[in-house]
Amino acid sequence: MSGFTDEKTLILLNPQAGRQRAAIRFREHVRQLPCDVPIIETASAADARSRAREAASKGYAIVAAAGGDGTVHEVACGILESGEEAILGVIPIGSANDFAWSLQHHLGNPASSHSSTDYPCSELWSFGRVDVGKVEIGEEKAEYFVESLGTALSGRVTVESRKVQGWQGLPLYSLATLRALTSFRAKEMMLTMDGVTIESTTLLLSVLNGMREGNFQLAPSANMADGQLNLVHGKRISTWQVLLLLPRVALFGLPRHHREIDCRLCSDIEIQTDWELTIHTDGEIVAMPGDGVHHARIRILPQRLRVALWNTTLKGRSR
């Protein structure tokens, strides 16, 4: 690298991301830097969030997450909690790169992205702005998400994925889905979507700002800056139907017409159940059975976050 220093950018590197492959992947990226950028290795999810919050409060223009979706989630939350206008930088080197994948498509639209000469090394980034989801869980807890939120089967799949060692990408989440199906069945749920309430048997509920959840493309038409969330509601779907759908969804996304799958745009969603919810935000588990969570409210914060994606090809890398 040159002796030139970019004092406006801080990179937070999660060396444990990508099933501990992130440090090797990061070395490939850091060689592209034409200037010196401070890099801090994070010790935990909480450490990444607090360092991002502190960096944004100190006036860093770009606080970059080098890792997967979990790292991006924590750094984004830290920036949002600071109340500052720092830019979330994304360097996708984890096993989970759903947000980077969606962002790459979003910023590929000239109306959604722009270049900037305001920052040293700015040629390495594509800049834009995206919506943010916020979920209020129970009476006291709230959390942001930038890519997806899932509950019911979606939440259980995330739990099961944590138990699988060594796998990544579609194989990991396909196996996790099969495991989750052995212990979870569709249950009654009350949903209020933009003021309209329904009661429905529910197997799966996913709320997406981006295109993907668990490497499955559930919202291929998602616009990350339209002030709307993409709701995917899987209703009375049997285990055998899920097994038949899984390869199709993995290869081509959700079927356009399925009588038990409701896809719609919403800006305000409320969930009420008499059974305890498992909820993930960007793949991070925020509610589990035993936490006593029966209620959640999800809202959109339009174009709340400025973003910058590292200009490198993802090469199909997935979870």
Side-chain angles (χ1 to χ4, degrees), residues 201-226:
T201 301
T202 298
L203 178 71
L204 171 149
L205 188 73
S206 297
V207 181
L208 296 101
N209 184 46
M211 300 166 65
R212 304 202 308 191
E213 180 188 31
N215 225 202
F216 291 99
Q217 191 167 261
L218 299 186
S221 301
N223 181 335
M224 302 180 78
D226 65 352

Tab-separated table of all heavy atoms in Angstrom, residues 201-226:
chain	number	residue	atom	x	y	z
A	201	THR	N	-53.117	-19.984	9.665
A	201	THR	CA	-52.108	-20.995	9.925
A	201	THR	C	-50.833	-20.580	9.207
A	201	THR	O	-50.855	-20.233	8.025
A	201	THR	CB	-52.575	-22.366	9.409
A	201	THR	OG1	-53.793	-22.710	10.057
A	201	THR	CG2	-51.536	-23.436	9.680
A	202	THR	N	-49.718	-20.589	9.929
A	202	THR	CA	-48.465	-20.059	9.387
A	202	THR	C	-47.329	-21.041	9.608
A	202	THR	O	-47.057	-21.451	10.733
A	202	THR	CB	-48.112	-18.719	10.054
A	202	THR	OG1	-49.140	-17.759	9.763
A	202	THR	CG2	-46.778	-18.185	9.550
A	203	LEU	N	-46.666	-21.415	8.513
A	203	LEU	CA	-45.447	-22.209	8.624
A	203	LEU	C	-44.225	-21.305	8.657
A	203	LEU	O	-43.308	-21.506	9.439
A	203	LEU	CB	-45.334	-23.191	7.454
A	203	LEU	CG	-44.056	-24.037	7.459
A	203	LEU	CD1	-44.099	-25.068	8.581
A	203	LEU	CD2	-43.842	-24.726	6.112
A	204	LEU	N	-44.238	-20.303	7.810
A	204	LEU	CA	-43.053	-19.465	7.624
A	204	LEU	C	-43.471	-18.012	7.447
A	204	LEU	O	-44.457	-17.733	6.771
A	204	LEU	CB	-42.283	-19.949	6.393
A	204	LEU	CG	-41.122	-19.121	5.842
A	204	LEU	CD1	-40.084	-20.054	5.211
A	204	LEU	CD2	-41.587	-18.100	4.797
A	205	LEU	N	-42.710	-17.116	8.065
A	205	LEU	CA	-42.936	-15.693	7.844
A	205	LEU	C	-41.581	-15.007	7.714
A	205	LEU	O	-40.773	-15.026	8.645
A	205	LEU	CB	-43.721	-15.062	8.990
A	205	LEU	CG	-44.157	-13.614	8.712
A	205	LEU	CD1	-45.298	-13.590	7.696
A	205	LEU	CD2	-44.585	-12.912	9.986
A	206	SER	N	-41.347	-14.423	6.552
A	206	SER	CA	-40.111	-13.693	6.294
A	206	SER	C	-40.452	-12.284	5.853
A	206	SER	O	-41.375	-12.078	5.056
A	206	SER	CB	-39.285	-14.387	5.206
A	206	SER	OG	-38.875	-15.673	5.624
A	207	VAL	N	-39.699	-11.321	6.369
A	207	VAL	CA	-39.881	-9.915	6.014
A	207	VAL	C	-38.538	-9.415	5.495
A	207	VAL	O	-37.545	-9.412	6.221
A	207	VAL	CB	-40.342	-9.087	7.228
A	207	VAL	CG1	-40.543	-7.637	6.825
A	207	VAL	CG2	-41.620	-9.666	7.818
A	208	LEU	N	-38.517	-9.005	4.235
A	208	LEU	CA	-37.249	-8.686	3.588
A	208	LEU	C	-37.192	-7.237	3.120
A	208	LEU	O	-38.161	-6.714	2.569
A	208	LEU	CB	-37.024	-9.593	2.370
A	208	LEU	CG	-36.889	-11.087	2.668
A	208	LEU	CD1	-38.194	-11.804	2.351
A	208	LEU	CD2	-35.747	-11.709	1.891
A	209	ASN	N	-36.036	-6.631	3.361
A	209	ASN	CA	-35.702	-5.355	2.749
A	209	ASN	C	-34.903	-5.605	1.478
A	209	ASN	O	-35.039	-4.882	0.496
A	209	ASN	CB	-34.891	-4.494	3.726
A	209	ASN	CG	-34.591	-3.115	3.172
A	209	ASN	OD1	-35.464	-2.454	2.639
A	209	ASN	ND2	-33.340	-2.677	3.302
A	210	GLY	N	-34.079	-6.658	1.502
A	210	GLY	CA	-33.310	-7.067	0.336
A	210	GLY	C	-33.956	-8.238	-0.373
A	210	GLY	O	-35.145	-8.520	-0.215
A	211	MET	N	-33.147	-8.967	-1.137
A	211	MET	CA	-33.664	-10.022	-1.999
A	211	MET	C	-33.611	-11.409	-1.371
A	211	MET	O	-34.377	-12.288	-1.756
A	211	MET	CB	-32.862	-10.038	-3.320
A	211	MET	CG	-32.934	-8.744	-4.107
A	211	MET	SD	-31.679	-8.635	-5.422
A	211	MET	CE	-32.211	-9.949	-6.493
A	212	ARG	N	-32.680	-11.610	-0.419
A	212	ARG	CA	-32.407	-12.984	0.001
A	212	ARG	C	-32.518	-13.163	1.509
A	212	ARG	O	-32.300	-12.241	2.296
A	212	ARG	CB	-30.997	-13.413	-0.428
A	212	ARG	CG	-30.745	-13.278	-1.911
A	212	ARG	CD	-29.625	-14.155	-2.421
A	212	ARG	NE	-28.369	-14.051	-1.700
A	212	ARG	CZ	-27.227	-14.584	-2.128
A	212	ARG	NH1	-27.198	-15.237	-3.288
A	212	ARG	NH2	-26.121	-14.458	-1.442
A	213	GLU	N	-32.802	-14.402	1.892
A	213	GLU	CA	-32.748	-14.841	3.285
A	213	GLU	C	-32.152	-16.239	3.295
A	213	GLU	O	-32.633	-17.131	2.606
A	213	GLU	CB	-34.143	-14.867	3.912
A	213	GLU	CG	-34.124	-15.328	5.364
A	213	GLU	CD	-35.512	-15.542	5.928
A	213	GLU	OE1	-36.415	-15.915	5.147
A	213	GLU	OE2	-35.690	-15.365	7.137
A	214	GLY	N	-31.075	-16.413	4.066
A	214	GLY	CA	-30.447	-17.724	4.132
A	214	GLY	C	-30.005	-18.219	2.780
A	214	GLY	O	-29.993	-19.423	2.524
A	215	ASN	N	-29.598	-17.302	1.909
A	215	ASN	CA	-29.126	-17.592	0.565
A	215	ASN	C	-30.229	-17.967	-0.412
A	215	ASN	O	-29.967	-18.210	-1.579
A	215	ASN	CB	-28.070	-18.702	0.588
A	215	ASN	CG	-26.870	-18.383	-0.268
A	215	ASN	OD1	-26.164	-19.280	-0.678
A	215	ASN	ND2	-26.630	-17.113	-0.540
A	216	PHE	N	-31.489	-18.010	0.065
A	216	PHE	CA	-32.622	-18.274	-0.808
A	216	PHE	C	-33.193	-16.937	-1.287
A	216	PHE	O	-33.451	-16.036	-0.482
A	216	PHE	CB	-33.716	-19.058	-0.083
A	216	PHE	CG	-33.323	-20.472	0.229
A	216	PHE	CD1	-32.865	-20.832	1.492
A	216	PHE	CD2	-33.419	-21.457	-0.742
A	216	PHE	CE1	-32.501	-22.131	1.779
A	216	PHE	CE2	-33.060	-22.768	-0.468
A	216	PHE	CZ	-32.597	-23.110	0.792
A	217	GLN	N	-33.412	-16.813	-2.590
A	217	GLN	CA	-33.922	-15.570	-3.155
A	217	GLN	C	-35.443	-15.550	-3.013
A	217	GLN	O	-36.167	-16.097	-3.839
A	217	GLN	CB	-33.510	-15.452	-4.618
A	217	GLN	CG	-33.764	-14.088	-5.213
A	217	GLN	CD	-33.070	-13.891	-6.538
A	217	GLN	OE1	-32.011	-13.285	-6.610
A	217	GLN	NE2	-33.652	-14.402	-7.603
A	218	LEU	N	-35.912	-14.898	-1.969
A	218	LEU	CA	-37.340	-14.875	-1.668
A	218	LEU	C	-38.036	-13.633	-2.211
A	218	LEU	O	-39.260	-13.626	-2.373
A	218	LEU	CB	-37.556	-14.950	-0.151
A	218	LEU	CG	-37.031	-16.198	0.563
A	218	LEU	CD1	-37.462	-16.166	2.035
A	218	LEU	CD2	-37.498	-17.474	-0.114
A	219	ALA	N	-37.278	-12.573	-2.468
A	219	ALA	CA	-37.883	-11.321	-2.963
A	219	ALA	C	-37.052	-10.770	-4.109
A	219	ALA	O	-36.369	-9.752	-3.968
A	219	ALA	CB	-37.995	-10.303	-1.833
A	220	PRO	N	-37.074	-11.427	-5.282
A	220	PRO	CA	-36.194	-11.026	-6.382
A	220	PRO	C	-36.453	-9.626	-6.912
A	220	PRO	O	-35.579	-9.035	-7.545
A	220	PRO	CB	-36.478	-12.090	-7.451
A	220	PRO	CG	-37.811	-12.647	-7.117
A	220	PRO	CD	-37.902	-12.590	-5.619
A	221	SER	N	-37.645	-9.081	-6.656
A	221	SER	CA	-37.966	-7.743	-7.152
A	221	SER	C	-37.815	-6.664	-6.083
A	221	SER	O	-38.266	-5.528	-6.270
A	221	SER	CB	-39.400	-7.713	-7.706
A	221	SER	OG	-39.563	-8.635	-8.762
A	222	ALA	N	-37.192	-7.012	-4.978
A	222	ALA	CA	-37.083	-6.062	-3.867
A	222	ALA	C	-36.354	-4.790	-4.289
A	222	ALA	O	-35.321	-4.842	-4.950
A	222	ALA	CB	-36.354	-6.713	-2.695
A	223	ASN	N	-36.918	-3.656	-3.895
A	223	ASN	CA	-36.291	-2.350	-4.069
A	223	ASN	C	-35.901	-1.876	-2.677
A	223	ASN	O	-36.764	-1.641	-1.825
A	223	ASN	CB	-37.275	-1.379	-4.724
A	223	ASN	CG	-36.673	-0.005	-4.958
A	223	ASN	OD1	-35.737	0.412	-4.278
A	223	ASN	ND2	-37.214	0.723	-5.918
A	224	MET	N	-34.620	-1.719	-2.432
A	224	MET	CA	-34.138	-1.452	-1.083
A	224	MET	C	-34.320	-0.004	-0.643
A	224	MET	O	-33.909	0.357	0.460
A	224	MET	CB	-32.665	-1.855	-0.971
A	224	MET	CG	-32.410	-3.318	-1.305
A	224	MET	SD	-30.680	-3.782	-1.166
A	224	MET	CE	-30.498	-3.955	0.608
A	225	ALA	N	-34.948	0.816	-1.482
A	225	ALA	CA	-35.141	2.225	-1.121
A	225	ALA	C	-36.526	2.717	-1.496
A	225	ALA	O	-36.712	3.893	-1.783
A	225	ALA	CB	-34.069	3.073	-1.784
A	226	ASP	N	-37.516	1.816	-1.479
A	226	ASP	CA	-38.878	2.212	-1.885
A	226	ASP	C	-39.809	2.450	-0.698
A	226	ASP	O	-40.995	2.709	-0.885
A	226	ASP	CB	-39.490	1.161	-2.816
A	226	ASP	CG	-39.699	-0.192	-2.130
A	226	ASP	OD1	-39.229	-0.370	-0.984
A	226	ASP	OD2	-40.323	-1.075	-2.758
